[in-house]
């Protein structure tokens, strides 16, 4: 394996992490709500893809929109019913609440489909590797990079250029002022939450091959999402994007070069960064 | 003799706003000094700089000639600066007795003792009782602070500053929200402090200011507009125009 | 009223605040009576006592100093592994292991305390979570020391004080754990009612005013964090010694979440929350495990969600009413 191959693997991994975590960063920025259950929506998306492929024989690509939609719908329903009453409560309550959701999701998934690792058979055109200027690149990884790259661009464009995006940014900046300006923050949040959950679902589906999938997924990857968000900050799309890239490359590289250290490096880096920059690495400082 | 408290070229910027603009100020020992100025003049910011709640963008704070600009809040309290807050800052879940006992215990250096008992220190008990009596808090001393009426809470706010036995006392609008009748009493309490305690009073009620102060500083837009004894300040045309002209004092 | 009168009243009030309430004796007499009343449940009672100690340790920082943590398992694990390693390699004397386990955890707490001093609740939750996962990962990577995924096996404990031998039914185990819990509880009780304890409550209530009253906040928080870590280490050491086994599970995230839940159930800030919560939690777990052993986690989750969404007010209202009925004085925590 060459250095470049590792780099590309890391980028693919980081891209999936970004899609997985982007919704969380907006939720956190918008409502100041720590949704540790974000990974549960990702898991739902992953299982939608797995089950559609295994039980109904739906082709992989066709399952991706379904993964997005089911997770988004779950997000929409839960936001309206359970999450909303939590916004006014303390961070501790919010955290305990979302941990509760994670536990329920994990146990329910174990009950429903069993605790084994899920394997999907990708379509043949996504299998194997090919050479680009002498660097061996996995087809699926390239596919992920292109797809997630496009998604990231779309998100970036949506966040910066559209009316929805500018309202969202205003609300993230100061929800009270935004309300005063007549921006429907509550509705904005419901939509964002649903889209964020949907993206998590899509990330979960794309990640089955790269990250693996079993019912403990939300717990296993919780820390990764949190790193992306805390390091990347919540005021931009680019912050979490670069944080995810950094994390992806560092994790893949770290596991390749110093396998005995495991995930140790990642957590160490996270704690260090949190201490140095409690507001996130890319966040602009707010007074 | 050195002044009790002094600032040299103190500057505080918040983004684009300069809330404290090159203030050089002297609080004499034993002074009864008032700091007045319109809303947003930077009075509270000035007190925050003196007490270490904020760190100045530039300039120095001297206490009895010693540079304390770099000291944190606790260290300044230990050196004898106490304050009240414009908006009450209380321990809502405690009783008045506990809150006063806390301040006294920190002053006596008991606070770092995990195995000591509060009631075992006669000084702590006596001084706590003394403060409670002086501020007429004895009949409600076992009630939860957060459940008390505003006027009582205001008294606790001020009592807590007294309990620190300061040599420099900074009062940020202590009478705000206190009924007319009780304001005098409050100021009498301040007046009854030992003569060597230096007091800086921020207050909008001009009757109180002129009754209390022997020296007045006028702050406008973060700058010192005028300073002098009450009659001088009252006559100052610039002050009249900027502040008193608004009809606060006849 | 005369000054002397008031001074006496103030002193009386301070004494009353720290005096043992009759209901407190009842709790401990019941805990001791359980030893005789439920001879077949001693292993479960032992687990309750250990969990109660772990929750008590969390209460010291959450309830008294306002420091929230999602990584308290780090200290439980540190104590457990230290005690386990001491037993395997140094001495089988339980008390030595207990003391060194506490010291090791306390040291870890002291070293990591600067990390939790800064920031708001959110940063603290994330940092503690990170530290907890870091410790788990560390124990996993140091397989040569910790046994990795297999854990520390073959721990054989000696007699306590050279007299009491551990038995299969948990008799010695429960007596040992309960005694340690009681002694550490008495110490904690003394500490929270001291001037030091008062200053912690001040910091929790209003840090701005605390600092303006002369409380050196970072030092006090570091001290209580270290103390709490040592307490968690004691719980970990008891766990290792009474089960004679240590695995990565002691550092798992669910441990940190569980103990937080225990404290939330019992209420933080009145010391008994950990004991009440641990009893409720373990009995519930035992009861649920009786008919659906695999899906315990689901019920815990449901419980958490229901609890923060409104169940707490109902439960604590009930407890407070009960306490008020029984004692007519001090009520439950928040
Ligand atoms: N933390 C802060 N961040 C940004 N601006 C601030 C901050 N604190 C004060 N200011 C600004 O500094 C200026 C001075 O405020 P300050 O509270 O010191 O005025 P004041 O004289 O105490 O007014 P008042 O009589 O209303 O209490 C105001 O324009 C205020 O908006
Ligand atoms: Mg002010």
């Amino acid at each position: 394996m060459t250095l470049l191959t590792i780099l590309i693997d890391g980028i693919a991994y980081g891209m999936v992490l970004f899609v997985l975590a982007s919704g969380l960063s907006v939720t956190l920025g918008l409502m100041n709500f720590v949704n540790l259950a974000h990974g549960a929506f990702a898991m739902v998306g992953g299982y939608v893809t797995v089950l559609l492929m295994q039980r109904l024989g739906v082709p992989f690509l066709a399952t991706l929109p379904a993964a997005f939609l089911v997770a988004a719908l779950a997000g929409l329903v839960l936001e309206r019913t359970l999450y909303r009453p939590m916004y006014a409560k303390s961070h501790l309550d919010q955290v305990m609440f979302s941990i509760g959701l994670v536990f329920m999701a994990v146990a329910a998934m174990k009950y429903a489909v069993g605790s084994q690792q899920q394997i999907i058979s990708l379509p043949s055109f996504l299998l194997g590797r090919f050479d680009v200027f002498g660097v061996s690149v996995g087809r699926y990884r390239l596919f992920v990079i292109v797809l997630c790259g496009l998604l990231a661009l779309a998100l970036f464009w949506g966040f910066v250029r559209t009316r929805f995006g500018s309202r969202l940014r205003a609300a993230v900046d100061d929800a009270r002022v935004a309300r005063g300006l007549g921006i429907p923050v509550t509705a904005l949040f419901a939509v964002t939450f649903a889209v964020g959950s949907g993206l998590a679902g899509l990330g979960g589906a794309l990640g089955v091959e790269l990250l693996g999938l079993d019912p403990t997924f939300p717990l296993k990857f919780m820390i990764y999402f949190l790193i992306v968000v805390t390091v990347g900050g919540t005021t931009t799309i680019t912050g979490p994007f670069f944080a995810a890239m950094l994390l992806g490359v560092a994790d893949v590289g770290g596991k390749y070069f110093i396998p005995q250290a495991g995930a140790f490096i990642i957590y160490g880096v996270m704690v260090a960064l949190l201490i140095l920059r409690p507001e996130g690495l890319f966040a602009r400082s707010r007074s | 003799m050195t002044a009790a408290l002094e600032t040299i070229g103190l500057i505080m910027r918040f983004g684009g706003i300069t809330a404290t603009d090159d203030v050089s100020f002297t609080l004499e020992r034993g002074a009864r000094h008032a700091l007045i100025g319109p809303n947003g003049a930077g009075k509270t910011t000035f007190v925050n700089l003196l007490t270490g709640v904020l760190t100045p963008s530039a300039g120095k704070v001297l206490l009895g000639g010693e540079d304390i600009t770099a000291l944190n809040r606790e260290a300044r309290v230990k050196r004898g600066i106490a304050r009240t807050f414009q908006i009450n800052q209380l321990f809502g879940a405690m009783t008045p007795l506990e809150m006063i006992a806390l301040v006294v215990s920190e002053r006596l250096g008991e606070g770092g003792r995990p195995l000591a008992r509060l009631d075992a220190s006669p000084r702590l008990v006596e001084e706590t009782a003394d403060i409670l009596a002086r501020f007429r808090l004895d009949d409600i001393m076992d009630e939860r602070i957060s459940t008390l009426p505003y006027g009582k809470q205001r008294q606790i706010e001020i009592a807590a500053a007294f309990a620190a036995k300061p040599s420099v006392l900074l009062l940020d609008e202590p009478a705000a929200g206190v009924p007319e009748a009780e304001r005098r009493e409050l100021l009498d309490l301040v007046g009854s402090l030992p003569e060597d305690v230096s007091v800086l009073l921020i207050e909008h009620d001009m009757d109180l200011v002129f009754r209390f102060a022997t020296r007045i500083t006028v702050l406008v837009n973060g700058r010192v507009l005028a300073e002098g004894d009450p009659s001088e300040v009252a006559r100052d045309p610039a002050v009249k125009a900027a502040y008193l002209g608004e009809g606060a004092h006849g | 009223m005369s000054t002397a009168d008031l001074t006496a009243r103030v002193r009386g009030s301070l004494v009353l605040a720290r005096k043992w309430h009759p209901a407190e004796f009842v709790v401990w007499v019941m805990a001791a009576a359980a030893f005789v009343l439920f001879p077949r449940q001693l292993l479960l009672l032992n687990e309750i006592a250990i969990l109660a100690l772990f929750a008590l340790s969390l209460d010291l920082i959450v309830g008294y100093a306002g420091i929230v943590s999602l990584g308290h398992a780090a200290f439980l694990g540190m104590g457990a592994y230290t005690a386990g390693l001491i037993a395997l390699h140094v001495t089988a004397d339980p008390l030595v292991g207990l003391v060194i386990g506490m010291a090791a955890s306390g040291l870890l707490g002291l070293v990591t305390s600067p990390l939790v001093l800064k920031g708001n609740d959110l940063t603290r939750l994330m940092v503690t979570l990170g530290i907890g996962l870091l410790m788990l990962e560390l124990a996993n990577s140091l397989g040569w020391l910790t046994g990795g995924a297999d854990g520390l096996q073959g721990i054989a404990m000696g007699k306590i004080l050279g007299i009491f031998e551990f038995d299969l039914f948990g008799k010695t185990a429960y007596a040992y754990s309960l005694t340690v819990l009681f002694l550490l509880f008495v110490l904690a009780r003394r500490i929270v009612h001291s001037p030091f304890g008062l200053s912690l409550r001040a910091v929790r209530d209003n840090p701005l005013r605390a600092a303006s009253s002369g409380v050196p906040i970072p030092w006090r928080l570091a001290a209580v964090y270290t103390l709490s870590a040592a307490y968690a280490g004691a719980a970990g050491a008891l766990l290792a010694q009474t089960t004679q086994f240590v695995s990565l599970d002691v550092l798992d995230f669910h441990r940190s979440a569980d103990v937080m839940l225990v404290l939330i159930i019992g209420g933080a800030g009145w010391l008994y929350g950990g004991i009440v919560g641990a009893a409720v939690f373990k009995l519930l777990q035992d009861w649920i495990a009786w008919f659906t052993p695999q899906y315990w986690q689901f019920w815990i989750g449901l419980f958490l969600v229901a609890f923060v969404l409104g169940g707490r007010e109902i439960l604590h209202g009930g407890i407070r009413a009960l306490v008020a009925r029984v004692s007519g004085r001090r009520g439950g925590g928040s």
Side-chain angles (χ1 to χ4, degrees), chain A residues 287, chain B residues 14 17 19 37-46 54 86 172-173 204:
Chain A
S287 56
Chain B
F14 295 112
I17 309 169
N39 291 111
K43 304 180 295 291
T44 299
T45 303
F46 185 63
L54 294 171
Q86 185 170 356
D172 195 351
E173 301 193 23
H204 283 296

Side-chain angles (χ1 to χ4, degrees), chain A residues 34 82 86 89 92-93 95-97 99-100 103-104 106-107 111 222-223 226 260 263-264 267-268 275, chain C residues 70 115 118 122 125-126 129 133-134 137-138 141 253 257 260 264 295 297-298 300-302 305 308-309 312:
Chain A
V34 207
L82 296 183
M86 292 305 301
K89 305 212 172 182
L92 181 60
D93 273 4
V95 162
M96 295 314 285
F97 165 81
I99 288 174
F103 283 176
M104 285 169 77
V106 168
Y111 176 77
M222 182 164 76
I223 191 74
L226 290 173
Q260 64 281 13
F264 192 74
Y267 300 149
I275 291 151
Chain C
L70 269 185
L115 312 187
K118 287 210 269 181
L122 190 53
L125 286 168
M126 295 304 121
L129 181 68
L133 293 169
L134 204 68
E137 206 48 54
L138 192 64
S141 328
F253 171 70
M260 196 53 123
I264 291 180
Y295 303 110
Q297 210 179 19
F298 180 84
I300 274 245
L302 185 66
V305 169
V308 287
L309 273 174
R312 169 178 29 210

